[in-house]
Amino acid sequence: MFSSNKSRDERPSASGQAGSRGRGMFSVIGPDMAVTGDVRATADLHIDGNIEGDVHCGNLVQGSESRIVGGVTADTARIAGTIEGSVRVRHLTVERSAKIIGDVEYADITIENGGHVDGRLKRTAEPAAAGLHAVPTQEQAA
């Protein structure tokens, strides 16, 4: 009656990741959290709190009240808060409430009216941007 059609490989493991890539999984750093140190996530990451350290993830969503003091490396990022540090992202969206203080490397970028970037913008070619993957998959690491 309540059986699942998911194969055994798609079910979350003890580490909380589904399969080897964490498909469908995401992590949240809530607004009441402050992290000192680097943050690495193989899954998508949503940050509403404050981080003092570098952030490495596949896909990043940053809330408008969030602050990151450190570098950000991701495949895609939607920034709405403040980042003080360099940003290396393949696909970047800077929302109207965002403020980036640091250099930005991107393959494609959207800056909404009112979004603020105080630093150098450097467009990278798509093949070179492939090296921006923050966290190698298990297949790449092997």
Side-chain angles (χ1 to χ4, degrees):
M1 180 176 188
F2 293 105
S3 65
S4 172
N5 289 334
K6 292 182 179 181
S7 71
R8 183 166 178 80
D9 291 337
E10 293 180 49
R11 292 187 187 135
S13 64
S15 65
Q17 293 181 354
S20 62
R21 291 196 182 124
R23 288 181 296 250
M25 301 296 292
F26 66 94
S27 299
V28 176
I29 296 177
D32 62 329
M33 294 183 69
V35 176
T36 301
D38 295 348
V39 174
R40 293 187 181 276
T42 56
D44 297 348
L45 181 60
H46 186 105
I47 299 174
D48 283 322
N50 297 312
I51 297 177
E52 287 189 36
D54 295 338
V55 175
H56 300 269
C57 62
N59 300 308
L60 172 65
V61 176
Q62 182 193 29
S64 61
E65 299 298 316
S66 173
R67 180 181 195 94
I68 299 170
V69 179
V72 172
T73 304
D75 187 44
T76 64
R78 176 172 287 278
I79 307 300
T82 301
I83 296 176
E84 293 181 33
S86 63
V87 177
R88 295 183 69 210
V89 179
R90 188 181 289 183
H91 306 286
L92 177 63
T93 301
V94 180
E95 295 186 358
R96 69 180 54 112
S97 61
K99 183 175 185 180
I100 299 174
I101 303 168
D103 296 343
V104 177
E105 290 185 36
Y106 62 92
D108 65 65
I109 188 170
T110 301
I111 302 175
E112 293 182 357
N113 208 12
H116 180 85
V117 178
D118 186 8
R120 285 185 263 185
L121 297 175
K122 180 180 179 186
R123 185 177 186 279
T124 58
E126 193 68 32
L132 295 180
H133 287 291
V135 181
T137 61
Q138 290 179 348
E139 292 85 23
Q140 291 171 335

